[in-house]
Amino acid sequence: MPKLVLLRHGQSRWNLEDKFTGWVDVDLTPEGEAQARKGGELIKAAGLSFDRCFTSVLTRAIRTSWLALAAAGQAYVPEVKDWRLNERHYGGLTGLNKTDTAAKFGAEQVKVWRRSYDVPPPPLAAGGEFDFAADRRYAGAPVPDTESLKTTLERVEPYWSAEIAPKLVAGETLLIAAHGNSLRAIVKLLYGLDDVAIIGVEIPTGNPLLIELDAQLRPVAARYLDQGRAEALPAAA
């Protein structure tokens, strides 16, 4: 039975500063590092052994994978990094303080940008501090100027289908250390959630989500490894 663990990165510096981060490459805070290590300890206690790890090209997710795997005694596990597992691009909101942005545009408008399925924030202007077009991590890639969860899923899905799903079909146990929205995209794919149901799904930081799959990669069981946390997933469609 294939097993998949989804691990959202620990607290980043901009999480602590309440900023829209998206594709900006900020590091973990000491608290975020502790969360990643705790995730690895939970993985070890659950007796999980990984064949492979997938992560994004952003430091906070990469270091979360390193810290978690080391804490689990599996630092040797092969790792694949790909930009398609990045957090969603927050467009023109990138780098802004969330409270200040709500005061400027109104809390309801900011809520739509943050939590709706298919309404992206305003696009990021080209040539500014957070223009990633010249970043060599994205050479040849269609760098967006903003994303919704819908367009995030549209870049995650082909990567999932081509690179991750075949490993699960072959019986591998995988860890994906990534971001709230790229992981929510994977949950939507696996569970067949509609565009409304996915809005209510939140992936907690540093709490590994173990999903057991059948041969067709349909979820048959799922649980967060920290049993003290009460988050739940909708039933699979």
Side-chain angles (χ1 to χ4, degrees), residues 48-127:
L48 291 164
S49 296
F50 297 114
D51 296 292
R52 201 179 311 266
C53 173
F54 289 88
T55 186
S56 74
V57 296
L58 299 174
T59 299
R60 59 193 186 273
I62 295 167
R63 293 195 64 234
T64 292
S65 73
W66 290 352
L67 291 165
L69 286 170
Q74 299 180 61
Y76 54 83
V77 168
E79 182 173 87
V80 182
K81 305 178 183 71
D82 198 280
W83 68 271
R84 286 166 289 188
L85 293 176
N86 278 13
E87 179 57 286
R88 68 178 280 202
H89 193 306
Y90 276 100
L93 302 183
T94 302
L96 300 181
N97 178 274
K98 295 175 183 177
T99 302
D100 293 346
T101 303
K104 180 178 180 179
F105 295 102
E108 284 305 310
Q109 178 61 72
V110 173
K111 182 178 179 180
V112 169
W113 287 332
R114 293 185 66 187
R115 299 304 303 177
S116 68
Y117 177 66
D118 58 1
V119 180
L124 181 74

Side-chain angles (χ1 to χ4, degrees), residues 115-118 149-150 188 192-200:
R115 299 304 303 177
S116 68
Y117 177 66
D118 58 1
L149 177 56
K150 178 178 185 292
K188 188 178 192 301
L193 301 180
D194 63 33
D195 299 350
V196 174
I198 190 58
I199 293 173

Side-chain angles (χ1 to χ4, degrees), residues 136-189:
R136 67 176 186 165
R137 284 173 286 192
Y138 309 115
V143 177
D145 56 13
T146 188
E147 287 182 310
S148 62
L149 177 56
K150 178 178 185 292
T151 50
T152 301
L153 185 146
E154 287 170 357
R155 63 163 155 89
V156 169
E157 183 169 16
Y159 185 69
W160 166 270
S161 298
E163 303 296 335
I164 301 176
K167 304 295 190 299
L168 291 167
V169 170
E172 292 192 9
T173 297
L174 304 181
L175 170 66
I176 302 178
H179 308 264
N181 284 293
S182 53
L183 294 179
R184 289 170 70 215
I186 290 171
V187 167
K188 188 178 192 301
L189 290 172

